[in-house]
C-alpha cells in the first residue's frame, strides 16, 4: 500500500449466472480503500475513464454495518446490524483482453 486507508470490503461475482463464463464458482471478497471509493455527493463533474483498460460499470447495493453480525442471527437481526443501505455503481476494468482470466487472476 501507498498510504491508502482501508474503508471496508466488497464481494465480487455474486451473480451466479456469470460464474461459468469466467470460471468462477463462488463469490470473492476484496478490500476497498479511500482511494477507490467516491461519494456522489462529494464528486463534482464526470468520472473519467481515461487510463482504464476495457472499463465496465456494474450496479451495486452498498451498505454500512453499525454492529457485527453473527451466523446465528435471523433475517430481522441481520437487518438491525445495518446503519444504512444505498445504490452504488462500480467502475471495473480488466487487464486481461476480452475479460478472459482465471480465478487466481481475480484474487491477485
Amino acid at each position: 500500500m501507498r498510504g491508502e486507508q482501508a474503508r471496508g470490503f466488497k464481494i465480487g461475482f455474486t451473480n451466479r449466472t456469470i460464474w461459468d463464463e469466467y470460471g468462477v464458482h463462488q463469490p470473492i471478497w476484496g478490500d476497498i480503500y479511500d482511494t477507490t471509493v467516491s461519494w456522489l455527493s462529494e464528486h463534482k463533474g464526470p468520472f473519467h475513464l481515461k487510463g482504464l483498460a476495457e472499463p465496465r460499470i456494474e450496479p451495486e447495493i452498498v451498505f454500512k454495518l453499525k454492529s457485527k453480525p453473527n451466523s446465528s442471527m435471523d433475517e430481522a437481526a441481520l437487518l438491525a446490524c445495518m446503519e444504512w443501505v444505498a445504490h452504488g455503481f462500480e467502475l471495473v476494468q480488466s487487464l486481461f483482453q476480452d475479460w478472459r482470466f482465471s480465478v487466481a487472476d481475480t484474487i491477485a
Side-chain angles (χ1 to χ4, degrees):
M1 289 188 7
R2 299 162 296 198
E4 293 91 344
Q5 299 293 311
R7 291 292 179 247
F9 303 96
K10 69 174 291 304
I11 306 173
F13 291 98
T14 57
N15 179 352
R16 292 178 185 210
T17 63
I18 65 168
W19 286 5
D20 287 338
E21 180 180 348
Y22 291 103
V24 173
H25 299 286
Q26 65 187 25
I28 298 171
W29 287 85
D31 299 309
I32 59 172
Y33 300 93
D34 59 341
T35 56
T36 62
V37 176
S38 178
W39 294 100
L40 186 59
S41 61
E42 298 170 1
H43 189 82
K44 306 294 186 232
F47 286 93
H48 298 283
L49 302 179
K50 183 178 179 180
L52 296 181
E54 298 188 46
R56 294 182 180 178
I57 189 168
E58 296 179 352
E60 304 286 348
I61 298 172
V62 183
F63 59 92
K64 181 179 180 183
L65 295 175
K66 64 181 175 185
S67 58
K68 185 178 178 180
N70 66 61
S71 61
S72 67
M73 292 179 164
D74 63 14
E75 290 177 1
L78 285 171
L79 286 173
C81 292
M82 285 200 234
E83 186 170 321
W84 53 259
V85 178
H87 296 285
F89 294 95
E90 181 179 13
L91 295 175
V92 296
Q93 66 175 330
S94 175
L95 301 175
F96 301 94
Q97 187 170 347
D98 299 324
W99 285 74
R100 297 290 170 217
F101 45 80
S102 70
V103 174
D105 294 328
T106 67
I107 295 169

